[in-house]
Amino acid sequence: MTNPTHAQVTFNEFGLPVATVFDDIYFNNENGLAESNYVFIQHNDLLTRWQLERERPFVIAESGFGTGLNLLVCWEQFLQHAPADATLHFISFEKHPLTPADLARALAAFPQLSEPAAELIELYPPAEPGCHRRHLANGRIILDLWIGDIHQQLPAWLPHAADSVDAWFLDGFAPDKNPDMWQPELYAAMATSCVAGATFATFTAAGSVRRGLQQAGFEVAKVKGFGRKREMLCGQLPKVAARPQPPQTEAVTIIGGGIAAACVAHELSQAGVSTEIFSTAVADAASGNPQGAVYPLLHAERSPLADYFCMAFGYATGFYQQQTPALWHPVGVVQLAYTDARQQRYNKISQDSASGGPGYDTALVRAQTSAETQQLWQALPPCPSLYYPSGGWLSPRQVVSQLLANHLVHQGAVLQRISRSSAADGQWQLEFADGQVEHRSRVVLACGANLKHLLEPFAVKLQNVRGQVTQVKANAVSAECPLVVCYKGYFTPAVAGLHCVGATYARDSEDLSTRTADEQENLSNLQDNLAPLHWPQELEPVANRAAIRNTTRDHLPLVGELEEGLWVLGGLGSRGFTAAPLAANALTAALLQRPLPLPAQLWQRLQPQRLRNE
């Protein structure tokens, strides 16, 4: 089933895509590549501008992603002409994204772009509303693809994108074919988002577009159009006194040694910011389990929590594929409807929007019949399920260790208290258990369960939840398990002859000793929820591990600046390895005052201030 958000496309006699709804072509039948170069690269003077040294990424914003051709042209030219240490941030808006199959077919018209096209297609997001950030070209290019009506997405993007854009590509279907897009609100948002002296270019010369851009403050020129087109528009926002730029290079101190801290350290270093880390150890707490599943947390109705995980899940799978490929196993995740109530809930989650459901893209999640469930693995019970085809599992401790391998980590450091320095320097005072005291101006607290007591003086209320996992020996049947199986607990594919079975959920308990009762609970859930199968009853437990998860009352992560210079990333609960990469990227973007990978309203919901005691 195709998500109704997807573009309805036919292919013309030249084999090129045509949008059915707008009755318009995606690119020039004769030479779409040359047109993209001429209109957008040449008339924004990008080859010259990219060669200039700059601290921040060069930012391009685009209306109408379409086939991604403009991105691919920029990608190719940027790698050829920009300095080796330069980065490009390409932000694009698309109401009706192509299906992956249509995208691949359309881009097959450009064999000279086959390598970047293949990378784009591999990381192409599901048709879910909001921002989907992807890292391309070994991190040289950041793509933000905002899916949804541009007039709904611009207000979600703009609050954290003012004074950031260097060039606008005003693309999309022609004004007479798609008049809803070409509105004064778009031109006003362009002007707000632009740095002084930013440029724009567009293939059209329509008078309404020219007047709208001029009214928004742009200087507009008519120049010769491409090929048979007589004219096109280009111009710039007048230069004014330079606006002050935020500090970029000051070091950041991170507290923590798990996945949250590791992702923050990685994202900051990718942005050119040096870090130091203080931690008791590396992956010694909740991030130290032998195996962990990565899949989204979805609701039967659209919610901020589901919206966050739709974006975070795609970012996380791309992140692990690129950063820790040997440790990431995208084998799929199945959630069994082991009771009638679960089946009803999963039916609602999988309903399309036309039927009143949430309408999640089937590339993200899809319903399985009993027979389809058993096609995933014959040793599963014959019950309906939800299937996440791009989900999987990883090795938490190894992932964290690899992410932190090239970072300065001060181990054995137990932070007991953080407070404002008594000196009038605005710094934060860090007091450690061994008596060591440090002063730092920019601190990120990303220390899992330790956040609960560290944030109590700031009146931020968090909850810690104890969880115990059990490792069992594989038997002849279980050894063939090809994917992560979820029910009331979860069961992972075998590694070195061992499966991970988890996990208990004990609120407000911080006892790390393992319990026989918890082992039995893990095994009983597996046996009961997969009944009447016999192989779960034959599994032999060999090890247990207890750890503490840090959670929030609304189950959303805690991400943002608590007080000036003091940032927090926590509350990741039992989906930490799904939630952490995007949370860390968003924190980094906010700290450096760069465009965020999240809608402004959702970012506001993540702020730590929401959890202050009332």
Side-chain angles (χ1 to χ4, degrees):
M1 183 180 65
T2 300
N3 188 319
T5 304
H6 281 129
Q8 304 303 307
V9 173
T10 58
F11 287 79
N12 64 17
E13 66 271 25
F14 303 103
L16 303 180
V18 178
T20 305
V21 173
F22 300 105
D23 188 27
D24 200 2
I25 56 176
Y26 277 88
F27 45 75
N28 187 293
N29 282 332
E30 295 175 354
N31 198 334
L33 196 62
E35 181 177 37
S36 184
N37 263 302
Y38 177 82
V39 174
F40 297 113
I41 303 288
Q42 183 174 327
H43 284 90
N44 281 292
D45 193 24
L46 295 184
L47 299 190
T48 300
R49 296 167 69 194
W50 283 339
Q51 295 176 47
L52 302 176
E53 287 190 14
R54 52 188 295 122
E55 285 190 359
R56 299 160 69 86
F58 189 96
V59 180
I60 294 172
E62 174 188 53
S63 59
F65 184 74
T67 63
L69 179 59
N70 291 334
L71 166 67
L72 297 178
V73 170
C74 283
W75 183 334
E76 180 187 53
Q77 298 281 11
F78 185 79
L79 296 188
Q80 286 183 23
H81 297 280
D85 59 349
T87 52
L88 173 66
H89 191 168
F90 194 97
I91 301 163
S92 190
F93 298 85
E94 179 56 61
K95 184 176 183 179
H96 296 298
L98 273 69
T99 64
D102 285 340
L103 181 69
R105 184 175 174 185
L107 293 177
F110 307 102
Q112 62 272 59
L113 298 175
S114 60
E115 287 190 19
E119 188 173 339
L120 171 63
I121 292 165
E122 183 182 3
L123 293 170
Y124 191 62
E128 292 293 330
C131 180
H132 300 271
R133 179 165 288 184
R134 300 291 186 265
H135 297 276
L136 307 165
N138 293 317
R140 294 284 307 279
I141 297 172
I142 304 164
L143 168 65
D144 285 354
L145 181 51
W146 286 81
I147 294 178
D149 187 296
I150 192 169
H151 294 294
Q152 295 176 3
Q153 300 300 327
L154 282 171
W157 167 72
L158 198 55
H160 301 284
D163 304 329
S164 66
V165 176
D166 298 289
W168 261 94
F169 292 1
L170 196 49
D171 202 359
F173 299 114
D176 60 334
K177 303 279 189 178
N178 184 24
D180 290 347
M181 190 195 84
W182 303 81
Q183 295 295 322
E185 293 83 359
L186 170 58
Y187 312 132
M190 288 171 60
T192 300
S193 70
C194 282
V195 298
T199 61
F200 80 89
T202 180
F203 63 89
T204 185
S208 60
V209 176
R210 175 177 53 81
R211 291 187 294 274
L213 287 163
Q214 288 172 331
Q215 289 169 3
F218 287 93
E219 296 172 347
V220 182
K222 275 187 184 180
V223 297
K224 183 186 180 305
F226 177 79
R228 300 177 186 177
K229 292 181 180 177
R230 193 159 56 91
E231 295 174 318
M232 58 166 277
L233 301 177
C234 61
Q236 67 173 17
L237 199 65
K239 292 183 178 179
V240 295
R243 298 180 177 93
Q245 294 294 311
Q248 299 295 308
T249 55
E250 187 178 4
V252 172
T253 298
I254 301 168
I255 308 298
I259 188 59
C263 287
V264 171
H266 174 82
E267 294 287 356
L268 284 169
S269 66
Q270 289 295 106
V273 179
S274 61
T275 64
E276 61 171 351
I277 302 165
F278 290 91
S279 178
T280 53
V282 170
D284 61 324
S287 292
N289 285 340
Q291 290 174 275
V294 176
Y295 63 106
L297 179 61
L298 303 181
H299 286 168
E301 296 179 358
R302 291 282 177 171
S303 66
L305 185 64
D307 289 344
Y308 178 79
F309 274 99
C310 282
M311 290 176 266
F313 173 61
Y315 187 87
T317 57
F319 178 85
Y320 297 124
Q321 180 61 44
Q322 292 174 330
Q323 303 306 326
T324 58
L327 305 174
W328 167 234
H329 307 275
V331 294
V333 175
V334 63
Q335 281 184 309
L336 302 177
Y338 56 91
T339 65
D340 290 342
R342 285 275 170 158
Q343 184 172 342
Q344 291 175 16
R345 177 179 163 194
Y346 292 171
N347 285 342
K348 290 178 181 178
I349 287 175
S350 61
Q351 270 191 321
D352 60 31
S353 53
S355 305
Y360 298 116
D361 191 348
T362 53
L364 176 70
V365 61
R366 56 178 179 257
Q368 305 281 105
T369 65
S370 297
E372 289 169 334
T373 299
Q374 289 194 300
Q375 286 173 10
L376 295 172
W377 183 33
Q378 290 183 340
L380 289 175
C383 66
S385 63
L386 290 179
Y387 179 53
Y388 303 88
S390 55
W393 67 273
L394 42 66
S395 307
R397 182 187 294 274
Q398 293 171 274
V399 165
V400 171
S401 297
Q402 187 167 320
L403 290 173
L404 292 178
N406 297 317
H407 294 272
L408 175 62
V409 182
H410 304 285
Q411 296 195 48
V414 181
L415 182 65
Q416 289 191 321
R417 184 169 180 264
I418 182 167
S419 59
R420 281 286 186 194
S421 171
S422 57
D425 55 8
Q427 291 199 326
W428 290 96
Q429 180 168 295
L430 310 175
E431 301 173 38
F432 294 91
D434 61 0
Q436 179 184 4
V437 176
E438 300 286 347
H439 294 86
R440 299 291 188 272
S441 58
R442 294 204 294 188
V443 178
V444 179
L445 299 178
C447 47
N450 290 336
L451 283 173
K452 183 179 178 181
H453 82 268
L454 286 173
L455 295 185
E456 282 176 352
F458 299 89
V460 172
K461 186 172 178 58
L462 294 166
Q463 185 177 49
N464 284 342
V465 178
R466 180 188 179 278
Q468 182 171 316
V469 297
T470 301
Q471 284 184 290
V472 298
K473 281 185 181 179
N475 60 30
V477 176
S478 72
E480 302 300 319
C481 178
L483 77 172
V484 178
V485 181
C486 298
Y487 39 95
K488 190 176 180 180
Y490 65 86
F491 183 82
T492 62
V495 175
L498 297 177
H499 302 279
C500 196
V501 185
T504 58
Y505 199 88
R507 290 182 174 88
D508 296 319
S509 172
E510 299 190 13
D511 177 12
L512 291 178
S513 58
T514 57
R515 303 169 182 170
T516 304
D518 283 19
E519 177 186 286
Q520 188 55 49
E521 180 181 338
N522 283 332
L523 297 177
S524 295
N525 284 335
L526 175 65
Q527 294 163 6
D528 294 346
N529 296 165
L530 272 66
L533 301 177
H534 292 291
W535 66 261
Q537 301 172 25
E538 301 165 359
L539 297 170
E540 177 189 348
V542 294
N544 287 276
R545 186 177 188 274
I548 311 301
R549 315 176 188 95
N550 183 239
T551 66
T552 64
R553 61 178 177 236
D554 58 12
H555 302 291
L556 279 165
L558 192 72
V559 191
E561 190 174 25
L562 180 58
E563 294 187 10
E564 186 178 359
L566 180 60
W567 296 76
V568 181
L569 198 166
L572 301 182
S574 55
R575 291 287 205 291
F577 279 80
T578 307
L582 182 61
N585 183 273
L587 183 151
T588 298
L591 189 148
L592 297 176
Q593 297 183 31
R594 296 179 182 177
L596 290 187
L598 291 171
Q601 186 177 15
L602 182 54
W603 172 247
Q604 199 58 40
R605 284 181 173 269
L606 303 183
Q607 298 309 295
Q609 291 82 356
R610 78 184 193 273
L611 297 178
R612 288 192 189 277
N613 294 332
E614 298 176 356

